[in-house]
Structures are given as structure tokens and as C-alpha cells.
Amino acid sequence: LPRQPAASPLLALDIGGTLIKLVYTASCGGGADGADLRFAKFERRRLHECFDFIRAEGLLACNGGTRPGGENMTLKATGGGAYKFADDFLEKLGVCLDKLDEMDSVVSGANFLLQNIPGAAFTHMNGQRNPVDVSPNNLFPYLLVNIGSGVSILKVTGNRKFERVTGTHIGGGTMFGLAKLLTGCKSYDEFLQLSQKGDNFVLDLIVKDICGELVCQKQGLSTSTLASSFGKVITSEKKLTDYKPEDIASTLLSAFTYNIAQIAFLVASLLGLRRVFFGGSYIRGHKSTMENISYAIDFWSQSQMQAVFLRHEGYLGALGALMSYGD
Ligand code: ADP
């Protein structure tokens, strides 16, 4: 962590399309390593809860709220909401937001985690979670796939050296939006729990459904390979209410997860990168999401590429913003 004088801010925010992420140090005066970091998140539509939290935790108290000259204190903030809600922060908390580029912040956050927090990077495959050893001389270049409301894909070649290669608007917001409409789930965690209890093969069309098992076996095709997500619905008489929300949730999660992983694979192949780090709140430390991403990357790359996950994956932007106090 950057050394922070006692009277400088200790809180940074990332105000995204869906969630507000906060990273702050445990005590006034600033921490010296990752162990002193605290994390909190709020739904963006509940901005007032975020304000209450900042007040209740005394996160502005370290700074006394106002600078000696009567000037408002400044917080580092990234994400589109840092622009949109700047006036609310000033009005409700009396703080100015120092707005930082979102991609700069995400990359600084990822690089900080990877270079300073032991065990921050890990693989999750075949039911096993294994730490990935990253040292500055074997870290770069890598592909960073940040799955938030939308998906950003970046090629990172060094500290502060990166290029936003591409992205897709079909991301976590799309999946969760559809999930709310189709399953009636109220929260993302409820959606993930539902998906764990469901069976995607109730709605998904697999190769065997099209060719029949015998032909598949003859042609050496894997019978369980997905041919079309939601494809079975077309030929069925069932209405939405005839499907279990669990099965719909499971189908949604696999459709989006495999799709994003496949795009990640394609971009990594085009750039000749073998290591793909995944961040963003979409992953949410959820085992089967990580398993499916890993499986897809391994499958498409014929084991030539590796999907790597990060602790605190949803807080990359906010962490990067916190790091910028040291600039
Ligand atoms: P953004 O910066 O665009 O808000 P995030 O990285 O915070 O993006 O990820 C938002 C996505 O993460 C949502 O679209 C959803 O898929 C997932 N998600 C994880 N936790 C939650 C939550 N508590 N509420 C809503 N979405 C969540």
C-alpha cells in the first residue's frame, strides 16, 4: 500500500453499473500491507446505504471531513458512477470525488494483487483450487477479463502498461437481468444458489439430442456437448411457468459463462497469450462458475491456456483507485 500520511484519505470507491465497491484501510493512518484492507459493496440503486456505511464506519473521520482551509476533502473514485454521482457525494457527505480512469484502476488493482498479496491468484479446475506462483518476471503479458455488468478485455504488458483490446455488452448485467425476469430471483446470491440446484439439460440442447447417441458414438462426438443453450425450449410445449426456476438459472449461468470464456479464449489466441486472469463481481468466488470457465478455456485451447482467478476479484477497480493515493 502507498504510505499515507495520517491526514490523507483511506477510502476509495468504484461506482459501477450495478455495484458500488469500497476498499478502505482498517485504521486511520493507513496500513502497510494487504492484511489491513477492508472491502464492502452496495447495490448502486442503494447509494444511500453506502453513504450511511461510510458515516457509520467513520471512514471520513480520519480526515476530519474537511481540510484546514475549509476545503472539501477528496476521495479517489472510479467507474462511470463517479461522474454521475459526484454531486450526491458532495451534497450528502461533503466530499469531492477525484475521478480516475476505470481501466487504469482495474489494471493497477490486478497488478497490485498479483505482485503484493501472496496467494491472490489461483486456478480452479476439476474440483481443485491451486495457488499460482506469480513473480514480476513471469507475470507479463497477460489477458485480463473483467466480467462486470459488461465485459472488458485487456492486454496487460506491465505496471500501468495495457491496452483495452475489446469487450462485450453481453455480460453479468445481461445474465442477471434475464435471471430476474425469468426466475423471479431477488438477489445475485439467490440466483447462484438456484443454479446450483438446477439441471441445465432440461432446457439446453446437446449434441446427443440432435444426432442420437449412436451417431455421436460413431462419429466420435461427445454426447453431452452443448449444441444450443435454451435450444430444447423451442420444440417443447412447456410455458415459462412449467420450468423450474432452478433449471432456468442453471441454463443461464452455463450459457453466459461458457460464452464469455470462449470469447476470452479467442482474444487470447489472437494475441498469443497463454494466461488469462478473470476478475469482476460476476465470478463472486463461485466455484462452479470458476470450474466452467476453466473447463472452457482448457477445452478450447487444448490445455495450452490457463484460466486464473483472483481473490477480491470484484474489487480490482476500487483497489487500483486506493493505490493511486500513493501517486
Ligand atoms: P459493475 O462495475 O459494472 O457494477 P461488477 O464487477 O460489480 O460490475 O459486476 C456486476 C455483476 O456482478 C452483475 O451484473 C452480476 O452479474 C454480478 N453480481 C455479483 N454480486 C452481485 C450483487 N450483489 N448484486 C447484483 N449483481 C451482482
Side-chain angles (χ1 to χ4, degrees):
L1 264 189
R3 245 168 227 279
Q4 297 168 332
S8 72
L10 303 154
L11 161 67
L13 303 111
D14 173 7
I15 313 177
T18 309
L19 299 173
I20 306 172
K21 280 79 58 180
L22 268 57
V23 179
Y24 54 101
T25 47
S27 57
C28 295
D33 60 48
D36 294 321
L37 293 174
R38 300 277 188 273
F39 303 85
K41 65 171 185 287
F42 300 87
E43 288 179 46
R44 171 176 155 137
R45 62 192 172 117
R46 301 189 194 282
L47 183 62
H48 59 280
E49 284 178 15
C50 171
F51 289 149
D52 292 346
F53 178 84
I54 291 173
R55 280 193 211 100
E57 293 288 308
L59 296 180
L60 302 177
C62 302
N63 307 66
T66 348
R67 292 240 167 92
E71 198 189 314
N72 285 313
M73 73 172 270
T74 303
L75 292 180
K76 300 281 187 189
T78 186
Y83 294 89
K84 188 160 181 182
F85 300 121
D87 290 346
D88 298 271
F89 275 85
L90 190 59
E91 200 183 300
K92 303 274 160 42
L93 292 179
V95 295
C96 293
L97 298 184
D98 182 8
K99 300 160 202 80
L100 305 165
D101 179 81
E102 189 171 344
M103 295 303 128
D104 279 339
S105 303
V106 166
V107 170
S108 307
N111 281 339
F112 168 77
L113 276 182
L114 288 165
Q115 292 168 331
N116 296 285
I117 311 286
F122 59 92
T123 55
H124 210 301
M125 218 171 137
N126 304 324
Q128 278 193 332
R129 181 180 160 131
N130 288 310
V132 172
D133 168 42
V134 276
S135 62
N137 45 7
N138 76 3
L139 176 57
F140 305 111
Y142 66 84
L143 195 72
L144 179 59
V145 180
N146 199 47
I147 319 176
S149 308
V151 184
S152 290
I153 306 185
L154 307 112
K155 178 183 178 178
V156 184
T157 49
N159 285 316
R160 295 175 187 227
K161 288 195 200 132
F162 70 92
E163 181 193 343
R164 184 181 187 277
V165 186
T166 187
T168 164
H169 59 293
I170 312 272
T174 326
M175 180 181 74
F176 189 36
L178 286 170
K180 276 190 159 177
L181 290 175
L182 297 176
T183 72
C185 67
K186 296 272 181 290
S187 71
Y188 195 68
D189 286 351
E190 185 191 344
F191 164 71
L192 290 178
Q193 277 163 16
L194 276 176
S195 77
Q196 284 314 107
K197 290 185 271 172
D199 175 5
N200 63 304
F201 293 121
V202 175
L203 293 95
D204 281 346
L205 197 65
I206 54 174
V207 170
K208 185 177 72 180
D209 298 326
I210 304 176
C211 307
E213 196 146 7
L214 257 176
V215 177
C216 283
Q217 276 167 3
K218 265 196 209 150
Q219 301 192 349
L221 292 168
S222 161
T223 50
S224 62
T225 301
L226 266 180
S228 169
S229 294
F230 284 94
K232 226 184 242 176
V233 177
I234 308 292
T235 50
S236 161
E237 297 293 311
K238 288 186 188 174
K239 298 189 298 296
L240 178 59
T241 45
D242 295 330
Y243 289 101
K244 287 196 216 153
E246 291 87 332
D247 296 338
I248 297 175
S250 170
T251 297
L252 278 170
L253 188 61
S254 75
F256 281 81
T257 302
Y258 285 138
N259 182 249
I260 294 166
Q262 186 170 17
I263 294 171
F265 157 74
L266 290 171
V267 178
S269 314
L270 284 171
L271 300 173
L273 301 174
R274 295 176 62 143
R275 199 140 67 174
V276 188
F277 290 96
F278 287 87
S281 306
Y282 179 93
I283 294 168
R284 223 210 152 314
H286 188 243
K287 273 192 202 142
S288 76
T289 303
M290 294 189 280
E291 287 282 328
N292 288 342
I293 290 176
S294 303
Y295 174 82
I297 295 285
D298 186 71
F299 174 83
W300 292 113
S301 74
Q302 301 180 337
S303 304
Q304 296 304 299
M305 277 178 207
Q306 198 180 30
V308 187
F309 304 95
L310 298 168
R311 281 173 64 199
H312 313 297
E313 76 280 269
Y315 294 91
L316 303 182
L319 261 174
L322 194 78
M323 294 309 122
S324 75
Y325 282 117
D327 292 349

